Amino acid sequence: MTTTAPAHRGSATRRRGGRPGSRRNTAIGLLLTAMMLFPIYWMINVSLTPQQNMRKDPPDLLPLHPTLSGYRAVLDDQLPYLWVSLLVGLGTVALTLLLSAPAGFALAKLRPRGGGAVGVMLLIAQMIPGIVMAMGFYGIFLNLGIMNTWWGLVVADSTIAVPFGVMIFTAFMSGIPDELLAAATIDGASVWRTFTSVVLPVSRNAVVTVSLFSFLWAWSDFVFANTLDGGGSMRPITLGIYKYIGNNNQEWNAIMATAVVASVPAAALLVLAQRYVAAGVTSGAVKD
């Protein structure tokens, strides 16, 4: 009795002493989160601010006289650009998965000769600046006459997404038990059937991860879109925003409204896919 009571009081003291530290950490976390989210708030605030109030000093921290004129401009002018961005994003996801998933499976499970060299080349490809690749694509697309095409942007954006996708699939599929593949082979499944019916369902988290990042890269691309723009109508939303920017005309209300609308698909995908990105690759593959 005499030995346990002081320990109990010490534990209670530690718990009481830990509360101020916990509250302080929570306050610091909330402050840092507010600082990171403030640009998003300011984007929404400016999108609701009338154009004539943009040059107020100091600016309004709240939209005291909100207007939806910027969003009406988005609906009138920017919808075609949004559809092009959506088309390019989905096309980039499809092409990236089509190329990177089989390549990752081959490197992880078939282990071909030179697989290590391929991995090094993928890392090098990730380090090449996008503007260097864009200038190379400009010369190729100009000679082929395929400037200002949505599928040309799909090919260009996939050059960034595919190396990343191959590395992700290789890492994920390396963790799949070989016994799972051996069982499929014993049942008479071919290599392709094993890949499509066994490996891909198990690698759902990798598929979601690669799809998410490839879509976000294509959705937010500006370098390829601006370099490969031939002056036609097939422009993504990143170039559509430029419609409101000029030497003597800067429609910040419409610019920020367009940015808000363009951020919604990316934010929704991030919220929906976060648990798949964080989940383990073999989750549910092997039952106890």
Side-chain angles (χ1 to χ4, degrees), residues 44-286:
I44 298 174
N45 179 33
V46 174
S47 71
L48 297 173
T49 302
Q51 187 67 30
Q52 61 271 18
N53 295 344
M54 292 294 175
R55 298 184 180 274
K56 289 184 63 176
D57 188 15
D60 296 330
L61 293 178
L62 293 173
L64 301 179
H65 306 286
T67 176
L68 296 177
S69 60
Y71 292 94
R72 285 194 291 269
V74 173
L75 295 178
D76 294 338
D77 303 331
Q78 298 294 329
L79 282 183
Y81 303 118
L82 285 170
W83 284 117
V84 172
S85 287
L86 182 62
L87 186 61
V88 172
L90 294 178
T92 302
V93 170
L95 183 58
T96 300
L97 292 178
L98 183 65
L99 297 177
S100 61
F105 171 68
L107 292 175
K109 293 302 179 183
L110 301 182
R111 300 178 181 89
R113 291 183 179 180
V118 172
V120 174
M121 292 175 62
L122 292 174
L123 290 175
I124 295 175
Q126 291 287 293
M127 294 185 288
I128 299 176
I131 187 61
V132 175
M133 301 174 64
M135 296 307 297
F137 276 120
Y138 178 82
I140 296 173
F141 282 24
L142 189 63
N143 291 331
L144 295 178
I146 55 175
M147 297 285 288
N148 196 55
T149 57
W150 68 268
W151 54 269
L153 286 179
V154 168
V155 173
D157 291 331
S158 297
T159 58
I160 296 179
V162 168
F164 172 81
V166 173
M167 290 189 294
I168 291 296
F169 275 117
T170 302
F172 272 65
M173 293 177 180
S174 295
I176 299 177
D178 291 335
E179 292 78 8
L180 202 63
L181 278 66
T185 302
I186 293 174
D187 290 339
S190 63
V191 174
W192 180 252
R193 181 65 182 275
T194 301
F195 168 70
T196 56
S197 300
V198 178
V199 176
L200 273 184
V202 171
S203 304
R204 178 186 59 181
N205 300 317
V207 172
V208 174
T209 302
V210 174
S211 300
L212 174 65
F213 281 96
S214 59
F215 181 85
L216 293 179
W217 278 328
W219 184 264
S220 61
D221 168 61
F222 177 79
V223 174
F224 287 146
N226 189 45
T227 305
L228 303 177
D229 175 37
S233 59
M234 299 299 291
R235 296 180 178 181
I237 189 63
T238 50
L239 292 185
I241 296 177
Y242 256 33
K243 182 178 181 180
Y244 299 123
I245 300 177
N247 293 330
N248 301 315
N249 180 31
Q250 294 181 346
E251 301 178 26
W252 290 109
N253 175 278
I255 291 172
M256 292 303 177
T258 305
V260 170
V261 174
S263 300
V264 171
L269 284 176
L270 285 171
V271 172
L272 294 175
Q274 61 178 346
R275 71 185 186 93
Y276 294 102
V277 174
V281 62
T282 56
S283 176
V286 181

